Amino acid sequence: MNVSLLLTNTKMADKGVYECMVRTDRGDDIATTSLSVKAMYKSPTMSPIPENCIKQNTDVTIFCNSTGGHQKGLFQWFYQFGTNCKGSAELLAKKTDDKPFSLSSKLTVLKATYSGSTNYSCTVHNTNGVQERKASFEIPFVCSAGLNCDSPQNQHSSL
């Protein structure tokens, strides 16, 4: 006889030892199994400030966000051909109401130019330093959707 246990919408609280007792006309039997739950971070999302119409020699802040990890993770930033942006980024990790962590990191590119690095990526790593996900981003030096960069709707104020 095969016996199975199905857990749906598994949460970290579900981890532990499970015991099953089977009673038949041939006798009783007990078996145990343990469940470990791994909560991986979701694919990061990246966004810049300003959002579009970025002019040469302008400072650009790129944000990288991810959620879902059970333990505090970390981001690593890279530009152009995989060069690590060591020490250039800030990390904010906070636990959300439903227990997973929410990670956010920002990288400020000073005086961004076409001739400098325009491609950036961030990788999210678990508490053991193992990379779980990656996202890439290219600084948008041109207006999106053909908008006029000088129009009032494309002016961003910093608060």
Side-chain angles (χ1 to χ4, degrees):
M1 170 190 305
N2 289 324
V3 177
S4 63
L5 170 67
L6 174 64
L7 297 173
T8 58
N9 299 318
T10 309
K11 298 175 186 68
M12 292 307 291
D14 295 328
K15 71 180 177 180
V17 176
Y18 287 80
E19 183 177 271
C20 176
M21 180 178 161
V22 177
R23 194 170 274 174
T24 69
D25 58 354
R26 296 178 72 185
D28 300 343
D29 196 10
I30 296 176
T32 60
T33 189
S34 63
L35 173 69
S36 61
V37 179
K38 182 177 181 182
M40 293 182 68
Y41 279 95
K42 295 179 182 174
S43 291
T45 58
M46 297 178 76
S47 59
I49 292 180
E51 291 178 20
N52 53 28
C53 300
I54 297 171
K55 296 177 182 163
Q56 291 244 37
N57 295 312
T58 301
D59 292 354
V60 179
T61 301
I62 306 171
F63 291 89
C64 188
N65 302 294
S66 184
T67 60
H70 178 63
Q71 295 178 317
K72 181 180 175 181
L74 59 101
F75 283 113
Q76 285 188 354
W77 287 87
F78 301 92
Y79 63 90
Q80 211 65 6
F81 301 106
T83 305
N84 195 321
C85 304
K86 292 180 182 174
S88 304
E90 298 175 34
L91 174 68
L92 173 65
K94 65 178 183 176
K95 214 157 185 145
T96 56
D97 293 338
D98 60 349
K99 303 293 188 239
F101 273 91
S102 172
L103 295 178
S104 181
S105 181
K106 74 175 185 175
L107 174 73
T108 301
V109 180
L110 301 174
K111 302 197 182 303
T113 63
Y114 293 115
S115 60
S117 181
T118 59
N119 296 310
Y120 291 83
S121 61
C122 71
T123 54
V124 63
H125 299 252
N126 63 26
T127 191
N128 297 323
V130 176
Q131 180 181 322
E132 292 187 356
R133 306 275 192 241
K134 179 180 181 178
S136 296
F137 178 80
E138 185 168 350
I139 294 177
F141 281 109
V142 294
C143 294
S144 60
L147 298 174
N148 179 351
C149 287
D150 296 323
S151 69
Q153 67 206 33
N154 287 319
Q155 301 302 314
H156 297 275
S157 60
S158 57
L159 300 175

